Amino acid sequence: MYEQLRVDRSTTVDRVVDALRSALFAGDLEPGTPLREQPLAEALGVARSTVREAMTMLVTEGLAIREPNKGVSVAILHPAAVADICNARFVLESAGIRAWFDADEDAREEVRKAMRTFAATAQDGADPEAMTETHLAIHRSLVALTGSERLIATQDSITGEARLALARVDALRQDARQQVASHRKLIRLLERGELDECVEELRRHLAGAEESLLEAIATPPA
């Protein structure tokens, strides 16, 4: 009767990864912070082996690093990595912009929906973590215009690394209105079909993002 029943052993690990990821993205665990198995296991109410597996996943995602004789710690975003991330994002997102006319209507509507959600979040008080989440959703929706799941997954991986500093970026600049206006300009050009202009606006946008990220990683935490 029960031969087909299986326990999904990954479920608890996934929950631990989600909890750690959330703490990293919120800035609760600063770059360079050691991730200790025993204290984390006690805090989360799980086995050390579960925490160990979760930390391995974070290392794979580039959110943590494992060093011999030192263990695992939160990854530190270096200036060279910031430049590389922004360059990679430009390649992926500009490909999405170029695909605007070929994308299906559902994909185009996701771009509009992401913009509306970002604007609403800014009006609701501009919580840095929520701003980061909805901000990145716009850029993810641009890549999704390509219709390629692999490109979307690549974007997720790239922005995952950047999110180690993005919440601090939004906390430092506190310019939610300006950010909404900047993204609206980008989407307006897209809607008009002015794709060359939109790509150039994206280039300027990401140059500003790179500058803000560099400032964030150079600013000591409060």
Side-chain angles (χ1 to χ4, degrees):
M1 178 185 297
Y2 303 120
E3 289 82 357
Q4 302 304 316
L5 294 179
R6 294 289 185 273
V7 174
D8 184 357
R9 295 182 66 255
S10 69
T11 300
T12 303
V13 174
D14 290 342
R15 287 202 297 266
V16 171
V17 171
D18 287 343
L20 291 174
R21 211 186 272 125
S22 179
L24 296 180
F25 294 162
D28 296 332
L29 293 173
E30 291 288 339
T33 302
L35 298 175
R36 307 297 187 196
E37 286 182 14
Q38 187 61 39
L40 283 171
E42 292 173 359
L44 295 168
V46 297
R48 288 184 64 174
S49 59
T50 300
V51 171
R52 191 178 308 122
E53 190 172 346
M55 290 196 297
T56 297
M57 292 176 67
L58 292 177
V59 170
T60 301
E61 293 176 8
L63 299 178
I65 57 171
R66 190 188 303 276
E67 298 179 278
N69 304 317
K70 290 185 179 181
V72 179
S73 60
V74 180
I76 297 173
L77 194 62
H78 296 287
V82 170
D84 194 33
I85 286 169
C86 291
N87 286 336
R89 285 184 58 191
F90 177 75
V91 171
L92 292 169
E93 293 174 31
S94 61
I97 290 170
R98 297 291 188 194
W100 176 255
F101 291 122
D102 295 323
D104 61 41
E105 185 56 30
D106 286 344
R108 288 195 288 265
E109 183 55 33
E110 281 300 315
V111 175
R112 301 176 187 115
K113 179 181 176 183
M115 183 65 243
R116 290 194 298 269
T117 302
F118 181 53
T121 301
Q123 290 181 350
D124 287 342
D127 171 71
E129 189 175 1
M131 283 288 290
T132 298
E133 187 74 30
T134 54
H135 168 206
L136 289 179
I138 295 175
H139 293 276
R140 189 179 194 273
S141 72
L142 293 178
V143 180
L145 291 168
T146 64
S148 170
E149 293 296 331
R150 288 172 176 79
L151 291 182
I152 296 169
T154 302
Q155 175 83 348
D156 289 342
S157 176
I158 291 168
T159 54
E161 292 184 68
R163 284 191 65 172
L164 291 172
L166 278 172
R168 191 185 295 177
V169 167
D170 287 319
L172 285 172
R173 61 189 179 191
Q174 296 182 338
D175 58 352
R177 286 187 179 180
Q178 182 179 336
Q179 285 301 302
V180 170
S182 173
H183 285 81
R184 277 187 172 144
K185 180 178 181 180
L186 193 67
I187 305 308
R188 193 179 305 119
L189 290 169
L190 196 57
E191 292 274 20
R192 290 175 180 170
E194 299 175 10
L195 303 189
D196 289 341
E197 292 82 354
C198 189
V199 168
E200 286 309 307
E201 181 62 26
L202 175 67
R203 192 188 302 276
R204 288 189 289 271
H205 182 91
L206 290 176
E210 181 177 346
E211 184 178 335
S212 295
L213 280 167
L214 290 172
E215 178 187 358
I217 63 177
T219 302

